Structure formats: structure tokens, C-alpha cells
Amino acid sequence: EKIKDRKERMKNGDLAMYNKIILKGITISELGECHENFKENYLQITMKCNRFSKGEDTLKVYFQRDMSGLHLLKKGVKLKLTGEICVHSMNDENTRKNHTITFVICESFKLCTGMDRNEPDVDEVRLEGIICKKPTFRITAANLALATIILRVSCMENISYVPCIFWQKNANQIADIPAGTTIEITGRLQSRNYIKRVDKKELTKTTYEVSVSKITNVIWND
């Protein structure tokens, strides 16, 4: 489905769930082929977005092959874009195990030049979706409240199940909200590396989640 067709459906009220991300950062790869499931329709590039906390997030961005301006996408350019978060389940041909890939599907983009290039990076997410199961809640070793959920949201390619994490007062607020409740949140899409042992070897893996800064709306079940 083309982006313009999806926007028309949204105007007609056919899509209830909201899924939007704004990114601004540096490209750290050349534009290239996507995973084989998407290679007929999309190309991909990798972006790095700096956090205010001096960390950074490395995110994959997919572009429809027929988008205008793709010839401008090179390694090392400053890019600002709007799009959607997509979480796609796929089967690894080597291990024959299912795993997920997380990426952003770009709807529109522009290159940053002049003063705009020197302004801070941006990673802003707004999601409206349905909580799939009861939130998990715990107190960390640093005595911080932490809650996690999986949020079911609409996406151009499929229904996506997006992991979301909540800290402190947001964690306490979400902890007792039941599965099936629709919520609206704002936050950032972040990447996080971890170590996994496979056949006595330690491998560095990357996972993705939305770190929630605010719960903007809760639509309770009747």
C-alpha cells in the first residue's frame, strides 16, 4: 500500500491507532537493500541520533523505492524525517528461529543544511495503541520503578507489537492498567545492546524499545 493511500484511509477514519516518529540525525551507512522480505518495495539506511544524556541510538530507516530524492541519501548526511515504527517478525534461515526486526518506515524526509545541521538531534515518538497483556512492574537495584508493556499499533506493513518501558511515576501510573486498554504515549525510540550466550559464545545483540516520557491519554474499557 502506498503512503498516499494510507493517508487517505486515515482521513476517512479507517485507521484508529496513531503511529508517528520524527527523527533527525546523521546517516552512518549508504542506502542499500533491505531484508529479503522487503527488498521488492524498500531500500534502507542506518541513522545515528544523539540523546540529550550523551548516549546515542542507532536506528534502521526504510524508504519506498519510488520516493523522490533518494539519490541524495549518502553516508554522513544530516537527515530529518517523519515516519512510522514497524516491528516485523521473521525467520532466521541459519538458526530457523523466529526473531523480530525493528525499523522506521519513512513517509517524508529532507536534508539538513546550514544552521539546521548544527541544531540538536531529534527522536520524538507518539503512539496510540492497545496494551496486549498486563504490564510487568518491578523495582530495580537502583531503587527505581520500572514497568514494561507491549503496545499493539497500526503500521503500513502490518500490525506492530512495540515494546515500551516506563520509569518512576509513569511506571506507577501504568502498572495497574489492564490489558486491552487503549493508551496514548510520547517518548523516544531507543536502541540497547546486550550480551547473549550462544553455544558458549558471547554475542552482542541489539534490542529496540520506546522509552516513554509521558502518558498523554488513557481510554478505559467500558
Side-chain angles (χ1 to χ4, degrees):
E1 180 182 34
K2 299 296 184 182
I3 290 172
K4 63 180 180 180
D5 295 332
R6 174 177 170 79
K7 288 182 177 178
E8 189 61 33
R9 289 177 60 204
M10 292 181 71
K11 289 179 182 178
N12 294 334
D14 296 331
L15 296 172
M17 301 295 100
Y18 195 84
N19 178 349
K20 183 176 182 180
I21 183 170
I22 301 173
L23 293 177
K24 179 181 177 183
I26 293 287
T27 59
I28 58 173
S29 75
E30 299 291 346
L31 188 67
E33 296 291 335
C34 297
H35 178 264
E36 60 182 357
N37 286 6
F38 293 91
K39 68 181 181 181
E40 293 182 0
N41 299 319
Y42 293 97
L43 296 169
Q44 77 168 26
I45 208 165
T46 304
M47 287 182 63
K48 181 183 73 174
C49 297
N50 292 317
R51 303 181 190 178
F52 291 116
S53 61
K54 297 184 180 180
E56 62 184 39
D57 296 297
T58 303
L59 308 171
K60 292 186 187 324
V61 182
Y62 283 22
F63 301 83
Q64 289 185 331
R65 287 180 182 269
D66 59 359
M67 287 186 74
S68 61
L70 292 186
H71 65 284
L72 300 173
L73 299 180
K74 310 290 184 182
K75 183 178 180 180
V77 299
K78 191 86 167 187
L79 191 64
K80 184 173 184 180
L81 62 89
T82 60
E84 293 184 338
I85 298 173
C86 184
V87 181
H88 177 70
S89 180
M90 52 174 278
N91 185 268
D92 190 307
E93 295 179 355
N94 296 321
T95 64
R96 296 185 178 180
K97 293 182 179 179
N98 285 327
H99 68 279
T100 59
I101 54 174
T102 301
F103 52 92
V104 173
I105 298 180
C106 177
E107 293 183 346
S108 64
F109 71 90
K110 69 172 185 177
L111 299 189
C112 300
T113 58
M115 294 292 292
D116 193 28
R117 183 179 174 86
N118 298 322
E119 292 178 354
D121 289 353
V122 176
D123 183 344
E124 298 175 356
V125 174
R126 179 184 165 195
L127 297 177
E128 182 185 270
I130 299 171
I131 299 175
C132 292
K133 62 181 180 179
K134 187 181 187 308
T136 62
F137 178 88
R138 66 183 177 91
I139 302 296
T140 69
N143 201 34
L144 299 174
L146 171 64
T148 60
I149 65 168
I150 302 295
L151 197 65
R152 182 182 186 270
V153 301
S154 297
C155 173
M156 261 178 279
E157 286 293 340
N158 59 7
I159 296 297
S160 286
Y161 296 87
V162 181
C164 302
I165 62 171
F166 302 75
W167 293 96
Q168 296 294 78
K169 69 176 183 179
N170 288 330
N172 288 307
Q173 184 179 348
I174 199 74
D176 294 323
I177 296 180
T181 303
T182 299
I183 64 169
E184 183 182 335
I185 60 173
T186 59
R188 65 178 294 115
L189 177 62
Q190 65 182 28
S191 61
R192 176 169 54 85
N193 293 333
Y194 65 97
I195 303 297
K196 182 177 182 179
R197 291 189 63 85
V198 179
D199 297 330
K200 298 183 179 181
K201 296 180 180 180
E202 291 189 347
L203 302 177
T204 300
K205 300 284 187 177
T206 303
T207 188
Y208 298 88
E209 60 212 359
V210 171
S211 180
V212 177
S213 58
K214 186 177 181 181
I215 302 170
T216 54
N217 194 21
V218 178
I219 303 173
W220 297 95
N221 295 326
D222 294 333

